[in-house]
Amino acid sequence: MWVRSRASRLREKGRPEMATDVQSGDVRVRVPAKINLSLRVGPARPDGYHDLTTIFHAVSLFDEITVAPGAPGTGRRVTLSGSPGADVPIGDDNLAARAAVILARRAGLSDPDVSIGITKSIPVAGGMAGGSADAAAALVGCRRLWRLDISDADLLEVAAELGSDVPFALMGNTARGTGRGEQITAVLTSGELHWVIALSQGQLPTPAVYAEWDALVAGGHQPADGDDTALVAALRTGDPERVAPELVNDLQQAALSLRPALADVLHAGTELGALTGIVSGSGPTCVFLCRGRENAISLAAELAGTGLVRSVRHAVGPVPGARLF
Ligand code: C5P
């Protein structure tokens, strides 16, 4: 167990807990969405997950999380704002609430009373790890709120328990993910890449997309050849023209099979001037790599005008992971 801070020792002695040094008493955390620049999926494992090799890339589309002390006995209270979507749970099954409970337990605090406010911009079940991002933000926020003396390495371990994409949401920037995605190492990049992010109507649940992938492979579909060596070399140059041809997503075929209309979105984006477009993670969000800022801004406007997508954002990457602000 971690060495606990003064706050948890005070709580043990029945004295009031000093929550945070932030004047309002709240702790605020900003956390980015991720896209996968490359996603190569291996066979299903006995535990139901798939071994994969991916290059994660954090982009400037952020959720904001506020954590604050809850009234005694109220447990976790989650409130949502922004564009949360209908199916985001507000009980202990919300991933941010689960993060608070698991972190508290690991630190020797049981049944924490904490109020968690989530302002969502990252699409729900959109292939951009929005739930994982909120969990990562809750870990960072609660560590500060409860003044826990926990290293970043230990926090990454807790993150991996919560979900495959949570460790990367803590780390941010660009990183290779292996195992089920939770083992991450930083990847060197230069400069900034400009992306247009096309949010689709509706959601694609990640397990359904992996199941479709399994069905496609069982039916003879061949995963893309190669590895991420050329992509990593291209990222080091920072040249989007070199990065574009290296983007690959094995799950794209599965997402298109479940949602054929996404092919029209990908086609429209490249016709309107993107270097290339791919489905983000398990979809249905599509992302387009652009030559630079101007190209991205004009593409975003034109793509919005097609009526093929719910909304469109311009974002840059890489950006850091979950951070206090
Ligand atoms: O880890 P996480 O809870 O985010 O994963 C959600 C679901 O996505 C898993 O239950 C599994 O169905 C699928 N998945 C997978 N292989 C991975 C990551 C996720 O099959 N490497």
Side-chain angles (χ1 to χ4, degrees):
M1 188 195 300
W2 300 297
V3 175
R4 274 168 300 146
S5 68
R6 186 167 153 264
S8 54
R9 293 195 304 272
L10 284 175
R11 170 183 278 221
E12 255 171 20
K13 289 176 189 161
R15 286 203 253 141
E17 178 175 329
M18 258 209 23
T20 173
D21 57 357
V22 178
Q23 251 181 353
S24 65
D26 296 356
V27 177
R28 293 196 302 157
V29 184
R30 204 165 75 139
V31 63
K34 66 84 188 160
I35 61 181
N36 302 80
L37 304 182
S38 123
L39 178 53
R40 296 177 188 275
V41 181
R45 314 189 313 196
D47 65 1
Y49 285 92
H50 295 70
D51 273 322
L52 51 81
T53 306
T54 186
I55 303 290
F56 289 115
H57 182 69
V59 295
S60 61
L61 180 63
F62 297 101
D63 278 1
E64 291 181 6
I65 309 288
T66 303
V67 294
T74 53
R76 277 63 55 201
R77 293 179 65 86
V78 178
T79 49
L80 296 163
S81 55
S83 44
D87 327 322
V88 179
I90 54 166
D92 271 352
D93 47 347
N94 182 290
L95 214 46
R98 276 182 54 203
V101 169
I102 289 181
L103 183 69
R105 270 193 208 134
R106 292 276 297 257
L109 307 167
S110 63
D111 201 22
D113 299 313
V114 58
S115 152
I116 303 172
I118 306 177
T119 306
K120 288 215 68 71
S121 295
I122 307 175
V124 176
M128 301 193 84
S132 301
D134 300 342
L139 291 179
V140 170
C142 290
R143 173 170 68 173
R144 166 60 69 93
L145 183 68
W146 299 327
R147 294 174 165 267
L148 302 175
D149 186 15
I150 297 167
S151 68
D152 287 346
D154 282 336
L155 212 59
L156 280 171
E157 216 179 90
V158 180
E161 243 180 80
L162 285 158
S164 309
D165 295 335
V166 185
F168 177 71
L170 280 180
M171 188 177 179
N173 293 310
T174 306
R176 180 183 284 113
T178 54
R180 59 185 167 88
E182 87 287 12
Q183 295 162 29
I184 46 172
T185 48
V187 166
L188 193 68
T189 61
S190 12
E192 213 173 40
L193 296 172
H194 287 263
W195 299 92
V196 168
I197 296 171
L199 310 184
S200 293
Q201 299 290 355
Q203 309 176 345
L204 275 179
T206 306
V209 179
Y210 274 99
E212 180 67 15
W213 166 257
D214 289 338
L216 288 172
V217 170
H221 175 75
Q222 297 282 338
D225 278 339
D227 60 22
D228 59 26
T229 312
L231 171 62
V232 168
L235 288 168
R236 220 176 292 133
T237 69
D239 178 358
E241 310 251 4
R242 289 187 58 178
V243 172
E246 307 304 336
L247 301 185
V248 60
N249 179 5
D250 277 351
L251 290 183
Q252 177 161 313
Q253 194 52 47
L256 287 172
S257 151
L258 294 172
R259 191 71 72 78
L262 292 179
D264 298 336
V265 178
L266 292 172
H267 182 70
T270 44
E271 282 291 295
L272 291 169
L275 289 169
T276 191
I278 52 167
V279 169
S280 173
S282 52
T285 305
C286 294
V287 294
F288 297 94
L289 180 58
C290 298
R291 287 175 183 79
R293 181 176 300 277
E294 264 177 45
N295 177 208
I297 290 169
S298 66
L299 173 63
E302 291 190 53
L303 201 54
T306 63
L308 290 171
V309 294
R310 173 162 62 90
S311 65
V312 180
R313 305 267 193 288
H314 167 216
V316 295
V319 296
R323 295 287 182 276
L324 299 167
F325 76 106

